[in-house]
Amino acid sequence: MQASRIGRWSRRAALGLLLLVVLAALGAWLFLRASLAQLDGTRRVAGLDGSVSVARDALGVPLISGASRNDVAYATGFVHAQERYFQMDLLRRVAAGELAELFGERAVAADKSHRLHRFRARAEAALATLPAADKLLLRRYVDGVNAGLQGLAARPFEYALSGAAPRPWAMADSLLVIWAMYFDLQGAQEGRELARGWLAQNSDAAQRDFLTPHGSLWDVPLDAAGAPAGAESATIPPRAPAWWGRPLPAAPAGGVGAARLAQAAAPTLASADFVDAVGSNNWALAGSRTRDGAALVADDMHLGIQLPNTWYRAALQFPDAQGRPRRVVGVTLPGAPVVVVGSNGHLAWGYTNSYADHLDLIALEGDAARPGQLRTRAGWETPRTLQETILVKGAPALTLAVRETSLGPLREALGRTYAIQWSAHAPQAANLNARRLELVDTLEQALALAPTLGIPAQNMVAGDAQGNIGWTIAGPLPRRGGDAGRAGFPLALDEPAGVWSGWLAPAEYPRVVNPAGGQLYNANSRQLAGAGAALLGDGGFDLGARARQVRDDLSALGPRADAAGVYAVGLDDRALFMAGWRERAVAALDAAAVAGKPQRAEALRLLNSSWSGRASVDSVGYRIARDYLFALYDIVFESANAELARLDPKANMGAASRRWPVLLARLLDERPAGWLPPAYASWQQLQLAALDRVIARLGQDGRPLAEASWGERNRASSAHPFSSLLPAQLRWLAVPPDMLAGDSHMPRVAGPAFGQSERLTVAPGREEQGLFSMPGGQSGHPLSPYFLAGHADWVAGRALPLLPGAAAHTLTLTR
């Protein structure tokens, strides 16, 4: 009897526990549902001039239509907040150095690094200088953001997970979103300067110049038929620096030392990060090369791939000042009220990161007779010290002392005190001038406007409905006292290249308009070979292989190209650059090298039989050839990179010169004795050591080498920032890893966490024929039908229409 009662009690307890679990799951589900965006109905709001319609298609892409641009800005803010508020919050916090308030001590280091630039204070100052019309537009947008946030039945789910409350949006926050892109697009330049400063201290002048060439034979500048003269150093110095090819010092067995030695046994994915993180292509064909006579403009901006995606698609419809209807379609950046890249019916435009030289480290000297002072160009200064408070979740607040001079904030490195002189510190670094692109009618108007845009300096390629195409730089460029090409290393106080005397006027910006071939292109490589190059400098140009491939693909389209053909250029994954590295690997694996070495023989077989000539997902040969290149990088730069890692997380020899593969190719082909790393008896032995590293890594745990395909390594890992904080069974905030074709140094850039954040092709005035795709959906909410809408098309390279389709949901905002 007693056992029976206990059994009944146990069953009831189990049922009760199950019920609690079900109720908790239901409560969580209902809470998540409550934070979904409103898609239909009519909502009365304050601050509108009239009614605004938000008509979403089957993918959630809105056509936002209103009787005024300010009302459309309000509605844009409303949908941004409802779909992407947490993303917006992260962007403003990244720029301001306020992440630790959400994420605790793990974010303190990043906050200290970013707080050094005091961008929140700069945003408040920039806000005060905006024209009245821009302030009104921004005010309407901000009102819409806060109305959209308050209109959710529950706060965005990320705040429930973090235990924080969402802070209202402010006008300065929208400028901080622009400054967040400065960190994304130019944030590595400080590490690059430090790497090159270390290189200068640890090499003689000839070695330094050889290791940091001004160009490569892959370069295809817009103003020249080929690479500029002297693109690669004519003479290899007789000997290498002492650190070249030196292994890391021996470490004690076990512990960290054993881990370091294990890591050194094979090339790591981390060694390729700086290559995977160079990207963006844009190109245009003139009307003389297209079927319809209008220019065709294409753009794919390469950024970190995450959920939600960087961009939010939208079409905005409103009357201009003369009452004429305007429709602007493209991508917006949540947190800002303007279309970043797109077409307005008369003009289409796109960007790639310029990699011009926007940052200098200026060495400042002290004097024992003047304690606490530093000599600047303004004379002896006592640096201003400002106390910045960093709020830390779960821990006491921290105080960071920021020292500033007239040249910029200070940091200690390489045994010196440096002022950081960066274009991001300019008063005009962030503004809303990009909104004016929505209303320009001609290419000439766009090129004149581009220099005034408050964005990180970008290569702008644009085309108009009349068939004109042009390139220029959009964003601020410093007027240097000397040739910008002489910069790129930390500079002494009085070196002319480091003396900035204001900013270039629009008329001084270089341009290329309607070139004879009827095509323009850029892929982050050297843009110019002529006089304009001296204005830009080199802030880390790519080596040029990708741009060359884009150029040749465009030439192959012939005289009557259409949108589909122009779009397809961005999907070209032919391994033209890596083919030379495959040939070198095959040559190194000669009969003597593979004799009695079955793994080497298998690698040779796969380099021949599993080489498709593309970075295809099934190619093992491509992966072996690529990893061979990076294993060589690890061997020759191992000790240098260990030293640089102590200086700055973004300082490494790959950042010092992205042309390092060209340098290694030349050394392997010419085989100078003075550059053979001391641990190797011959250049072939060096190459075999690199290949053995590859084989050891790819064959870990007894895995057959034939299973190590490129797709097995090149898997997209798109995930929400909170995905890693959830239990494995609840990680619905991440996309199952997709095998991706493509890689660096080809138009179809693709990496595990980096790639084409959007693909767009459009002829202005013919937007109905425009094509588009992006890796994530419109919504940042995992229960939204738009969370991953379009992702599978992006993976497969399928193009979707650029314009929103028929309305599936319509929300009306009215007074």
Side-chain angles (χ1 to χ4, degrees), residues 201-357:
Q201 289 181 352
N202 291 275
S203 308
D204 64 33
Q207 293 165 345
R208 180 200 64 200
D209 291 344
F210 174 68
L211 291 166
T212 57
H214 294 299
S216 91
L217 296 179
W218 291 92
D219 281 332
V220 283
L222 295 172
D223 61 348
E232 295 177 12
S233 177
T235 303
I236 299 176
R239 64 183 184 280
W243 50 264
W244 175 265
R246 300 282 181 186
L248 292 172
V256 174
R260 177 182 287 179
L261 291 175
Q263 183 182 24
T268 65
L269 298 184
S271 67
D273 282 350
F274 56 83
V275 173
D276 287 343
V278 176
S280 294
N281 306 317
N282 62 0
W283 54 93
L285 290 183
S288 59
R289 295 277 308 279
T290 69
R291 289 184 182 178
D292 298 327
L296 267 169
V297 176
D299 188 75
D300 54 70
M301 295 180 283
H302 305 160
L303 296 167
I305 303 300
Q306 58 192 5
L307 294 176
N309 188 45
T310 300
W311 310 111
Y312 183 88
R313 295 180 63 185
L316 311 182
Q317 195 163 270
F318 54 91
D320 64 16
Q322 287 73 43
R324 298 172 300 184
R326 283 280 182 172
R327 182 184 62 192
V328 188
V329 59
V331 296
T332 65
L333 180 63
V338 301
V339 172
V340 176
V341 163
S343 181
N344 69 11
H346 301 270
L347 179 96
W349 69 96
Y351 300 119
T352 72
N353 199 15
S354 70
Y355 287 95
D357 191 354

Side-chain angles (χ1 to χ4, degrees), residues 282-286 289 295-298 461-463 468-470 515 518-522 554 566:
N282 62 0
W283 54 93
L285 290 183
R289 295 277 308 279
L296 267 169
V297 176
V461 168
N468 301 298
I469 59 174
Q519 63 184 46
L520 287 169
Y521 46 85
N522 184 270
L554 291 173
V566 172

